Amino acid sequence: MDISETPRPPYRVVGTAQPRFDVADKVQGATRYAADWMLPGMLAGCILRSVHASARIRRLDVSRARAVPGVMSVLTAADVPHNAIEEDPTGLGILRLPTPVLAADRVRYQGEPVALVAAETEAQARAALEAIVVEYEALPGVFDMEAALAPGAPRVHDGRDNLLVHWKLRRGDAAEGLRRAAVVVEHTYRTQRVDHAYLEPEAGVAWVDGQGVVNIRAAAQVVEHFREIAEVLGLPHNRVRVIAPFIGGGFGGKEDMTVEPYVALLAWKTGRPVRMVWSRYESLLARPKRHPLTMRYRTGADRDGRLVAQEITLLGDAGPYALLSPRVLFAALVVGTGPYRVPHVRIDAKAVLTNNVPTSAMRGFGAMQVTFAYESQMDALAERLGLSPAEIRARNFLQKGDRLPTGEVVETAVALPDLMRRALAALGERSRPSGPAARVGRGLSCNMQPYGRTVWFRDRASAWLGIEADGSLVIRAGVPDLGGGQAAALAQIAAEVLGVSLDRIAVHVGDSALTPLTGGTFATRQLYMSGNAVLQGARALRALVAPVAAALLEAAEGDVEFADDHVGVAGSPARRVPLAEVVAECIRRGVPTSHLATFHGEQAAPIDLETGQGRTFPDYTYGCHAAEVEVDTETGAVRLLKYAACHDVGQAINPQSVEGQIQGGAVMGIGQALTEEVVLEGGNNLSTLFASYLIPTALDVPDVQPTVVQSGEGKGPFGARGIGEPPTGPPPAAIASAIEDAVGVRLRELPMSPERVFRAMNPVSRRGETHGK
């Protein structure tokens, strides 16, 4: 589908690059993030963490810690009213594995919280941590996914094996399809643990107000966690409030609770405000990471390069607790074959319990990792069949109306041929090598990424809109804003419908007690969910006000238009009145000037657990990236020369924000491709400083060229699609393809470090290792 000539609707505000209302304060350093909140009498909270990855707690003595000057409280598991966070992350009632708030008799990963301290100063709290006596009995641990599934492996949890969840997808007869295929390629791919490495570490403040409500102001992606915190404290849900201020990055790392239950416990026990800020060491040590996946692919095609069948096995390391691993592996399962037609499919996706650092949500959510595998398989097939990478993709791209391996129909535009053409063209002329040992290569990668929650979660989001007496507008929605412009997008949507100037719109977000609940900011769902809620509310509010305006203007209701803080008559510029005047008339007539809207996302019955057939996600965002690299054949060093990222976003609400999301997501994927890795040895984390966890800098990455394509066929407001996660997936495969084009070797394990590239080019140096098998 080529949408370059698709006519665009005549929007006034939507689709224009507008400055976000939060930008000025952020640039000036005036924004108050979670750690900036100070209250009188505030205590410092700290966590004692396990030094072992697998051990029994034989003795835990906190008496000396309680005697340290300035210490107001020391808590262990015995002091927690309900020491477990229980939720079935599948949404299907098939999995229950509680996560302890504090380890009671057993620790299952290095860094697991064991005790809490609140003191007058952080130094005193740290001194108290040093005074706590813990006697551990080391237990056998399991640190490899394959070993964890073997008979007789140490069990992470007594009474259950180490297979956390097993998702299945079956369509047609994959074994027979592969037998009949003209060519079959089989490879194993491995992705690594990656940290979110957000600018703002985990932080928050809690206090108990005069009504006995526990208030938590924290860097949180989900304000609805007030319910879990209330259960931990043994309080009614309405006695806990979570406030999410502007957040300095989340990327999924603040979707699970971080400091929230700990500051809540300490504030509840002491009756005083408590502040907790994790060091970067703590964050790198113990926060859940991106899942490392082992992905085995057998892909068959006919002689013309059309896909026939795929057999896929996906293994994901969950660490010791469920968290969101089932959802991550499910997303990987659904898009495991990529944006291609495949008649015969068999996929098994398993999350495995180990004693490694936990893994959970991270930008791309399982769909990111499998892109590396399915795109590498397409390149391998192209090479075997003598086709170009672009040609084999073009022959297999999904089209609107096709069926996915789950059996569901693709309902919206798939503009991948156009996206691929644009991405490749954006690279321009091929660069010349910088020296005799340098080789330049180019590669491409396409992907599909779901946006919105799985449909059987019956997702919903609410928003309240009210026009004030002076014609200004207030929007209230519980959206946590992670820095991606989530709140500002709501203002543009409402402005388009109600004609209120952006500088006259106030948006209040992220407060579980004072804003309508919208669900968390994750899974690229907020524009789809909260954006549609605001759109629905704005249209309902306009429908209330328009008849009154029509009467004032002595015009037909269908001719009334809202723009520039006025209501006028289409085609008659002189016939208009200020919106404030219309509001005054509404008040006189008793017509409401506010509205609470609730948008319900797509809903369907759960899939068949044996076949994976059924409805899964509301929709998908498609993209194609192209990369140009230079490889130093003497060292294996890879230098990224050019990078282009093209996505169909349906409708860009704010093109500037969309381009920023594409660029930021691509750079995150580039980091996973080339440098970033959380290294564990026997469960011990060796990557607890930025000196050893290597994030790309501005010197490592060229300007990412974003191309925004607008088909208008998304399921968000005005036909928008989600764009927060999709750009993260293609970079590893695109760069691997470019490296192969440059030096003739294909890497199938991330990151593609200079050492790995050098060894791939020089097999003798690998001492018998077989690359990519």
Side-chain angles (χ1 to χ4, degrees):
M1 176 183 182
D2 189 332
I3 58 176
S4 59
E5 302 303 323
T6 303
R8 308 303 312 138
Y11 298 132
R12 296 176 300 100
V13 182
V14 164
T16 63
Q18 298 287 341
R20 288 162 27 187
F21 66 84
D22 57 312
V23 168
D25 281 350
K26 289 179 176 178
V27 170
Q28 294 167 9
T31 301
R32 301 186 74 183
Y33 291 92
D36 296 325
W37 201 247
M38 299 291 175
L39 293 172
M42 189 165 63
L43 302 173
C46 290
I47 299 175
L48 179 71
R49 298 181 180 275
S50 168
V51 296
H52 294 278
S54 179
R56 195 173 308 282
I57 299 175
R58 286 301 186 188
R59 178 171 171 250
L60 177 57
D61 185 351
V62 299
S63 57
R64 289 175 53 209
R66 286 178 172 148
V68 171
V71 170
M72 302 304 296
S73 182
V74 180
L75 304 180
T76 67
D79 302 305
V80 181
H82 184 68
N83 190 43
I85 297 168
E86 301 182 55
E87 181 187 10
D88 176 11
T90 68
L92 300 173
I94 61 175
L95 178 63
R96 288 286 178 184
L97 184 62
T99 302
V101 180
L102 295 174
D105 58 352
R106 171 83 185 269
V107 293
R108 294 181 172 88
Y109 68 95
Q110 183 194 34
E112 183 166 6
V114 174
L116 303 176
V117 171
E120 298 287 354
T121 68
E122 185 168 346
Q124 290 170 330
R126 296 288 176 191
L129 294 184
E130 294 290 335
I132 297 174
V133 177
V134 189
E135 293 180 1
Y136 295 101
E137 176 193 347
L139 297 174
V142 60
F143 309 106
D144 176 82
M145 289 186 287
E146 303 278 2
L149 295 176
R155 294 192 173 187
V156 178
H157 293 271
D158 296 336
R160 64 162 298 148
D161 61 29
N162 294 328
L163 179 61
L164 175 65
V165 69
H166 178 186
W167 298 109
K168 303 172 185 176
L169 181 53
R170 310 284 188 261
R171 185 187 185 197
D173 188 337
E176 179 64 13
L178 288 169
R179 190 183 68 79
R180 294 184 176 183
V183 60
V184 175
V185 295
E186 180 175 358
H187 293 293
T188 296
Y189 303 89
R190 291 181 173 86
T191 61
Q192 75 281 39
R193 283 175 193 82
V194 174
D195 191 83
H196 306 79
Y198 22 65
L199 186 64
E200 178 194 26
E202 299 79 358
V205 176
W207 68 95
V208 182
D209 65 23
Q211 297 178 322
V213 175
V214 180
N215 296 266
I216 303 113
R217 188 180 190 274
Q221 292 184 225
V222 185
V223 298
E224 279 86 344
H225 281 317
F226 73 86
R227 300 188 182 101
E228 288 94 332
I229 297 167
E231 295 290 336
V232 169
L233 296 174
L235 295 175
H237 290 186
N238 65 0
R239 296 279 297 281
V240 176
R241 173 190 182 192
V242 175
I243 305 165
F246 282 110
I247 301 168
F251 314 119
K254 295 165 184 170
E255 182 174 344
D256 297 299
M257 288 188 287
T258 60
V259 304
E260 298 99 301
Y262 306 119
V263 292
L265 277 163
L266 290 169
W268 182 246
K269 292 290 185 178
T270 64
R272 291 175 58 178
V274 178
R275 174 177 178 265
M276 181 180 288
V277 180
W278 290 1
S279 67
R280 186 65 67 179
Y281 168 84
E282 282 185 283
S283 184
L284 286 167
L285 172 72
R287 267 303 296 153
K289 313 301 178 189
R290 187 189 292 284
H291 289 73
L293 291 193
T294 297
M295 304 170 286
R296 298 185 177 91
Y297 271 66
R298 295 186 67 215
T299 307
D302 63 20
R303 297 191 183 280
D304 293 326
R306 291 180 174 84
L307 297 177
V308 174
Q310 294 218 60
E311 281 188 351
I312 302 167
T313 301
L314 308 172
L315 285 183
D317 189 335
Y321 299 111
L323 301 180
L324 296 174
S325 291
R327 299 186 202 175
V328 171
L329 269 295
F330 182 75
L333 173 102
V334 171
V335 299
T337 59
Y340 305 107
R341 294 185 299 274
V342 191
H344 302 285
V345 178
R346 179 188 176 98
I347 308 179
D348 292 275
K350 301 176 181 179
V352 183
L353 295 168
T354 70
N355 291 108
N356 293 317
V357 63
T359 50
S360 193
M362 188 171 174
R363 191 178 194 174
F365 218 80
M368 183 270 184
Q369 291 95 315
V370 293
T371 304
F372 179 54
Y374 62 66
E375 287 298 275
S376 296
Q377 288 289 96
M378 295 301 286
D379 284 350
L381 282 171
E383 183 180 13
R384 288 279 298 274
L385 292 165
L387 299 173
S388 72
E391 188 175 7
I392 195 168
R393 285 169 171 81
R395 295 184 184 186
N396 290 283
F397 280 140
L398 287 168
Q399 296 179 11
K400 187 176 180 179
D402 285 342
R403 289 191 178 273
L404 299 176
T406 56
E408 57 198 309
V409 175
V410 177
E411 298 175 339
T412 58
V414 184
L416 282 165
D418 188 28
L419 301 179
M420 183 170 64
R421 175 181 60 79
R422 291 174 184 241
L424 291 171
L427 291 184
E429 294 185 7
R430 184 180 289 250
S431 301
R432 295 178 179 274
S434 62
R439 302 290 184 271
V440 172
R442 288 184 164 186
L444 66 98
S445 173
C446 302
N447 77 322
M448 62 185 296
Q449 173 79 40
Y451 61 91
R453 300 183 77 186
T454 314
V455 292
W456 63 76
F457 276 91
R458 303 187 181 278
D459 205 4
R460 64 181 181 178
S462 298
W464 181 94
L465 292 85
I467 307 175
E468 297 294 339
D470 65 350
S472 61
L473 180 69
V474 175
I475 302 171
R476 293 186 174 93
V479 179
D481 192 307
L482 311 189
Q486 288 86 358
L490 303 184
Q492 280 192 254
I493 293 165
E496 183 65 45
V497 176
L498 296 171
V500 181
S501 301
L502 286 172
D503 61 0
R504 291 174 56 79
I505 299 178
V507 185
H508 301 283
V509 296
D511 189 325
S512 68
L514 300 180
T515 57
L517 298 180
T518 63
T521 301
F522 56 77
T524 313
R525 64 175 289 280
Q526 278 298 357
L527 181 62
Y528 167 57
M529 296 299 300
S530 294
N532 273 327
V534 168
L535 178 61
Q536 183 175 305
R539 285 174 171 169
L541 190 52
R542 177 181 172 131
L544 290 169
V545 174
V548 178
L552 282 176
L553 293 164
E554 299 180 343
E557 187 178 331
D559 292 334
V560 169
E561 61 180 11
F562 291 64
D564 303 322
D565 303 306
H566 285 72
V567 184
V569 179
S572 301
R575 295 177 63 192
R576 67 176 194 163
V577 294
L579 182 57
E581 187 174 325
V582 178
V583 172
E585 184 65 18
C586 287
I587 293 171
R588 282 192 291 271
R589 297 186 181 199
V591 175
T593 56
S594 65
H595 184 79
L596 175 65
T598 298
F599 173 74
H600 294 269
E602 292 192 25
Q603 302 179 6
I607 59 166
D608 184 303
L609 291 176
E610 291 302 312
T611 66
Q613 297 299 295
R615 287 284 290 164
T616 58
F617 295 99
D619 194 20
Y620 300 86
T621 298
Y622 303 91
C624 188
H625 292 198
E628 182 182 85
V629 304
E630 181 180 84
V631 181
D632 187 328
T633 57
E634 294 179 342
T635 65
V638 177
R639 185 163 66 98
L640 194 57
L641 302 178
K642 297 178 183 178
Y643 199 90
C646 186
H647 289 268
D648 172 14
V649 303
Q651 168 65 56
I653 302 300
N654 185 332
Q656 188 175 47
S657 289
V658 168
E659 289 181 357
Q661 288 290 318
I662 292 174
Q663 290 172 319
V667 172
M668 182 170 276
I670 290 166
Q672 174 146 7
L674 294 174
T675 61
E676 298 183 40
E677 182 174 19
V678 175
V679 178
L680 303 181
E681 285 188 5
N684 295 310
N685 191 336
L686 305 182
S687 306
T688 55
L689 296 171
F690 280 156
S692 54
Y693 186 81
L694 305 179
I695 304 171
T697 70
L699 298 177
D700 302 313
V701 181
D703 288 338
V704 173
Q705 302 175 61
T707 301
V708 177
V709 172
Q710 301 180 80
S711 66
E713 292 200 18
K715 294 189 176 182
F718 303 105
R721 283 176 152 137
I723 192 58
E725 293 178 293
T728 315
I735 293 171
S737 178
I739 291 171
E740 184 176 29
D741 183 50
V743 295
V745 297
R746 185 76 181 204
L747 277 81
R748 301 187 177 93
E749 183 173 359
L750 300 180
M752 293 175 284
S753 62
E755 181 183 19
R756 284 200 173 113
V757 175
F758 182 82
R759 288 184 174 181
M761 291 188 297
N762 300 275
V764 175
S765 69
R766 292 176 292 168
R767 299 185 180 181
E769 295 178 13
T770 304
H771 177 68
K773 299 293 184 181

